[in-house]
């Protein structure tokens, strides 16, 4: 291997090690927060929530919040309430998406889905509970009321009917009725992109970013969100169940609207690469403080699960 290839590999390995260490630190703090939030909850609901939230995962959204704050000079703890809140919303959406009435999945993060492990009613209630828990974290853990209000509003918009929920509704409609390129873009921007964008933006908000910095963080989130979902679509086609931790080929079987389904595999790969280039350019505008955002964008393009 050439020296540049070796150096690139070393940097990638260093980033992956740093990511794993950050996940471990975050997971410990997340477990502590769950203990507080679930102190008086019925045991079965608490067990279902812990099972779903603490299942091993990439923690993409909380890491985006933490590294978004880091990009504007915030410490790890500065953006922690945002990181916890977006992960709780994300986990609620996964629990509900996996239900028989939605995507009807039996495997998530390499484990039986919540409704399979427990039952449908418990899974629905666990998802219901995670939503107010997320907003409780923002309301109670952010010292400045004006910042808390801004964070709560942005997350509510990203998780609401015009974004995450609306994206899921369109996704289900496309299974029944089909769709075109415009609908595909709308689904990606709402169902996946909105929560990825708000994650990195909230990290910046809690770290006291300027309006101009917030615009750049949002643009980064939009670009990385599109790249992430396109790669996700591709992995459903070319990946395998063991690596993915969920059923491969499920999107095709259900007739879901996907990038490879409309554009083909090669064009989808190019689109993911183009979005990644844009995300890297934005991350580089934060100089060394945007290093993790830049490395993350490149890593997500090359992921296998």
């Amino acid at each position: 291997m050439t020296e540049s290839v070796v150096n690139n590999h070393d940097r990638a390995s260093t980033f992956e090690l740093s990511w794993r260490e950050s996940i471990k630190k975050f997971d410990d703090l997340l477990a502590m927060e769950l203990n507080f939030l679930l102190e008086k909850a019925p045991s079965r609901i608490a067990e279902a929530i812990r099972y779903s939230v603490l299942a091993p995962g990439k923690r993409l959204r909380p890491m985006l919040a933490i590294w978004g704050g880091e990009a504007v000079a915030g410490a790890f703890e500065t953006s922690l309430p945002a990181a916890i809140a977006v992960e709780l919303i994300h986990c609620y959406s996964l629990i509900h998406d996996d239900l028989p009435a939605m995507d009807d999945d039996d495997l998530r993060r390499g484990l039986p889905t919540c409704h399979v492990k427990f039952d449908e009613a418990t899974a629905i209630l666990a998802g219901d509970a995670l939503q107010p828990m997320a907003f409780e974290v923002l309301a109670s853990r952010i010292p400045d009321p004006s910042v808390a209000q801004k964070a709560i509003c942005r997350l509510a918009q990203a998780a609401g009917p015009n974004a995450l929920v609306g994206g899921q509704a369109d996704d289900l409609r496309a299974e029944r009725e089909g769709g075109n390129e415009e609908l595909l873009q709308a689904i990606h921007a709402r169902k996946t992109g909105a929560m990825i964008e708000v994650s990195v933006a909230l990290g910046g908000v809690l770290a006291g970013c300027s309006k101009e910095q917030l615009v750049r963080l949002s643009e980064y989130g939009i670009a990385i969100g599109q790249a992430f979902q396109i790669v996700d679509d591709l992995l459903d086609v070319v990946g395998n169940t063991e690596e993915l931790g969920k059923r491969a080929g499920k999107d095709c079987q259900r007739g879901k609207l996907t990038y490879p389904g409309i554009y083909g595999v090669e064009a989808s790969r190019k689109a993911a690469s183009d979005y990644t280039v844009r995300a890297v350019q934005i991350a580089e505008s934060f100089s060394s403080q945007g290093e993790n955002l830049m490395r993350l964008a490149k890593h997500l393009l090359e992921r296998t699960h």
Side-chain angles (χ1 to χ4, degrees):
M1 289 188 293
T2 66
E3 184 177 351
S4 63
V5 172
V6 172
N7 289 340
N8 286 338
H9 180 268
D10 288 345
R11 283 195 293 269
S13 298
T14 301
F15 171 71
E16 289 171 6
L17 178 61
S18 174
W19 191 351
R20 286 195 295 270
E21 290 174 347
S22 295
I23 288 174
K24 176 62 169 65
K25 183 177 180 180
F26 172 76
D27 280 353
D28 290 344
L29 295 168
L30 177 61
M32 291 174 59
E33 188 67 21
L34 285 181
N35 287 338
F36 171 77
L37 293 167
L38 298 171
E39 184 179 9
K40 298 180 181 180
S43 60
R44 186 168 177 81
I45 290 295
E47 184 184 355
I49 288 172
R50 287 192 177 93
Y51 174 82
S52 299
V53 174
L54 299 179
K58 295 183 289 292
R59 304 298 187 211
L60 171 61
R61 289 150 192 83
M63 291 302 104
L64 279 169
I66 288 165
W67 290 333
E70 180 185 88
V72 293
F76 187 103
E77 288 76 10
T78 304
S79 301
L80 186 59
I84 292 174
V86 296
E87 184 66 1
L88 296 183
I89 291 291
H90 176 57
C91 287
Y92 125 70
S93 72
L94 297 183
I95 292 172
H96 281 193
D97 281 2
D98 289 337
L99 289 167
M102 296 287 190
D103 290 348
D104 193 16
D105 279 315
D106 58 3
L107 196 64
R108 172 69 67 177
R109 292 176 172 175
L111 299 170
T113 49
C114 187
H115 71 275
V116 171
K117 175 71 174 179
F118 297 89
D119 55 70
E120 286 186 45
T122 300
I124 291 169
L125 290 172
D128 289 346
L130 283 166
Q131 297 174 69
M133 286 166 62
F135 294 108
E136 180 180 352
V137 170
L138 295 179
S140 63
R141 300 300 189 198
I142 300 175
D144 187 333
S146 65
V147 175
Q149 186 274 335
K150 184 183 297 184
I152 289 168
C153 185
R154 287 188 76 104
L155 183 56
Q157 290 171 339
N162 296 315
L164 174 62
V165 172
Q168 176 67 359
D170 276 345
D171 194 26
L172 292 171
R173 178 167 65 90
E175 286 184 28
R176 300 189 305 269
E177 304 173 7
N180 53 22
E181 297 175 9
E182 183 179 355
L183 181 58
L184 173 67
Q185 294 290 347
I187 291 171
H188 278 198
R190 292 173 177 173
K191 185 176 179 181
T192 303
M195 282 302 300
I196 287 179
E197 178 191 354
V198 80
S199 297
V200 69
L202 285 186
V205 167
L206 268 62
C209 67
S210 67
K211 290 183 179 179
E212 186 272 336
Q213 287 173 323
L214 183 57
V215 168
R216 279 189 284 152
L217 288 174
S218 293
E219 290 176 347
Y220 170 89
I222 291 169
I224 201 174
Q226 288 288 344
F228 178 86
Q229 186 57 57
I230 294 170
V231 171
D232 217 46
D233 286 356
L234 283 165
L235 288 175
D236 185 72
V237 176
V238 301
N240 65 74
T241 297
E242 185 175 350
E243 273 195 294
L244 292 175
K246 58 183 181 180
R247 300 293 177 195
K250 194 73 183 290
D251 291 348
C252 181
Q253 293 171 12
R254 289 182 63 90
K256 280 187 174 293
L257 198 60
T258 67
Y259 243 83
I262 287 185
Y263 299 103
V265 169
E266 291 308 314
S268 298
R269 284 176 173 155
K270 184 180 185 307
S273 178
D274 290 345
Y275 279 118
T276 300
V277 168
R278 174 59 179 154
V280 168
Q281 290 172 340
I282 297 168
E284 288 175 339
S285 73
F286 288 95
S287 301
S288 61
Q289 293 169 188
E291 178 78 9
N292 280 327
L293 292 181
M294 181 188 69
R295 296 289 176 204
L296 177 66
K298 293 179 178 179
H299 178 85
L300 291 178
L301 179 65
E302 298 166 359
R303 68 191 174 97
T304 59
H305 62 282

